[in-house]
Amino acid sequence: EAPKEINVAILRSLFELLDLPPGLAQQATQGSDEPVKLLQEQVGKLTRRVLAATTDMPGRLSFWGQPLLRDEEIADRRSKLEGLKAFSESLAPYNTVGKLKNLRIGSEDIAAQTKNLETLKAIEGMLELVTELGATASYLSQAEMVLPPDHAWVKQAQDVRKQLVDRLAADSGVQNAADYRQALAKLKKDYITAYAGQHSTARLGVAEDRTKTSLRKDARLVAMRALAGIMLMPTSQLTAFEEKLDKLKSCAALVDSDLSAGPVCPHCGFRPANEQGDLLPTANVLKQLDDELDRLLNSWVQTLLDNLEDPIIQENFDLLKTAARNLVDGFISSKAIPDPVTPDFVAAIQEALSGLEKINVNGEDIRQALLVGGSPATPEDLRKRFESFLNDRCKGKDTTKLRFVVE
């Protein structure tokens, strides 16, 4: 039997399959070891690539939390990768020029493995692409939880996600990678615009922060804090007002580059979804609080005047010292509190009203009293229930000296 010769045509096809120069086949026929060395290097690389793709495909081939391949598609691709791996491993024994003479593959094998190699490259391309896009997708997933669920951008993000996942699942060759990058970049840009808009609405800027500081020091608020020392005052109104003022947060440091790095302001941690009930423009809120402060102070002053004009209370005036009596008479005459409200004024008013007893009730107390006996109820039922509630609170006390304060 004549000695076997290297099948140059098959070897050239094999080198081409493995991205090696086909001219190496001719060198092998001349006894060069270099083609064999390069062949085995490529075979080793190919085997490692197949193992990596087989391992990564089930877990990492997902985008924006959605798998890109169905179970049957994964099984099909795994079968092709296993075929490519078996082919690659079968080439390992051909580690000398002499052994290449016994190469047992044909053109059909080359053709079949060409298709399997295309599958490998497609999987690698998809893995690389979803890794690249994954950072932006992760950012956008977090962004969806930052904005309120009914925000227009959240709906936009959900639509874009579905479109991209569907397209990626069908785009095995990642031909449209540029489109995906562009769509994600636009969605992120739109988020930054939406978030920045809500941030500027819900946070005080430099000028608005100065207004808030001024309101804290406002003479009207200082007066109310002083008047709160009078037993009859509905101090819960003052507490609620100051809480509303405190809830207004300041942040003038946010810039777009902050939001490029993360979906939440790093300076104040603003999350619109958590503050949905309070997303009124801060400038409007400040104006509302300023108006409310006027109303509250006027109401407190009128409450004091109404009670001081009560004949029962005026019987106490003769017991006041001259200085205190002058302060009380001056207030009743001018119908205006002094500026500033001094401790002596507060003490004088408190002493004048000392015969009164304050009874605090809140809306829930009244509601529960009116519901005794069930609902619905007739007007007469409600009248009797309310009278019973009042009688219970007044039991054993001089009703002419009682003052109810609804908190």
Side-chain angles (χ1 to χ4, degrees), residues 9 51 70 213 359:
L51 288 171
R70 300 188 300 274
T213 301
I359 299 180

Side-chain angles (χ1 to χ4, degrees), residues 94-381:
Y94 300 103
N95 54 7
T96 66
V97 173
K99 290 180 180 179
L100 287 179
K101 297 177 180 180
N102 298 315
L103 188 61
R104 293 188 180 130
I105 60 173
S107 56
E108 298 83 359
D109 298 314
I110 298 293
Q113 298 312 319
T114 297
K115 293 180 179 179
N116 290 343
L117 190 56
E118 288 173 356
T119 298
L120 172 63
K121 290 178 179 177
I123 293 170
E124 290 174 331
M126 286 291 288
L127 287 168
E128 183 178 348
L129 181 60
V130 296
T131 299
E132 175 195 340
L133 302 179
T136 304
S138 176
Y139 173 104
L140 295 171
S141 291
Q142 296 176 55
E144 281 189 80
M145 296 184 287
V146 172
L147 292 181
D150 58 352
H151 193 282
W153 182 88
V154 175
K155 176 65 166 62
Q156 177 189 354
Q158 292 169 348
D159 291 343
V160 170
R161 176 173 58 202
K162 184 177 186 310
Q163 292 168 11
L164 290 185
V165 168
D166 290 347
R167 290 185 64 189
L168 274 167
D171 186 14
S172 59
V174 297
Q175 295 93 338
N176 300 301
D179 291 346
Y180 306 146
R181 296 185 189 100
Q182 184 177 356
L184 290 177
K186 181 182 184 304
L187 190 58
K188 183 174 179 179
K189 181 180 178 182
D190 290 346
Y191 169 78
I192 291 173
T193 300
Y195 179 93
Q198 296 222 326
H199 184 277
S200 65
T201 296
R203 292 293 185 261
L204 303 176
V206 175
E208 293 159 335
D209 187 56
R210 285 197 291 266
T211 301
K212 175 185 174 182
T213 301
S214 297
L215 203 53
R216 283 183 183 281
K217 301 175 182 178
D218 191 283
R220 294 167 295 172
L221 191 55
V222 173
M224 288 185 66
R225 290 174 183 143
L227 293 175
I230 300 172
M231 174 269 297
L232 201 60
M233 293 293 92
T235 53
S236 63
Q237 294 179 352
L238 175 61
T239 301
F241 178 87
E242 297 203 280
E243 285 177 351
K244 283 188 278 190
L245 189 57
D246 288 341
K247 283 174 70 175
L248 293 177
K249 298 178 182 178
S250 304
C251 183
L254 180 66
V255 293
D256 283 357
S257 59
D258 291 328
L259 294 177
S260 292
V264 175
C265 175
H267 310 289
C268 70
F270 173 57
R271 288 179 172 269
N274 297 345
E275 303 186 28
Q276 182 63 1
D278 305 312
L279 282 184
L280 295 173
T282 48
N284 293 1
V285 175
L286 284 170
K287 178 65 171 63
Q288 291 171 6
L289 288 174
D290 189 90
D291 294 342
E292 182 180 351
L293 191 53
D294 268 338
R295 291 194 300 272
L296 287 176
L297 182 57
N298 291 337
S299 172
W300 282 28
V301 170
Q302 191 60 49
T303 296
L304 292 176
L305 288 170
D306 290 345
N307 282 280
L308 289 170
E309 290 171 355
D310 188 317
I312 294 175
I313 295 302
Q314 290 184 350
E315 292 176 2
N316 296 337
F317 288 5
D318 290 338
L319 303 177
L320 298 175
K321 293 180 180 179
T322 302
R325 175 67 183 266
N326 290 338
L327 287 171
V328 172
D329 287 344
F331 172 52
I332 294 174
S333 174
S334 66
K335 300 188 184 306
I337 55 175
D339 184 14
V341 176
T342 63
D344 287 344
F345 175 80
V346 172
I349 299 298
Q350 176 64 38
E351 188 176 358
L353 298 173
S354 60
L356 300 179
E357 181 180 349
K358 173 183 176 183
I359 299 180
N360 290 314
V361 295
N362 58 46
E364 183 60 22
D365 293 335
I366 297 173
R367 178 177 178 275
Q368 290 299 326
L370 295 179
L371 286 174
V372 172
S375 178
T378 66
E380 183 63 19
D381 289 335

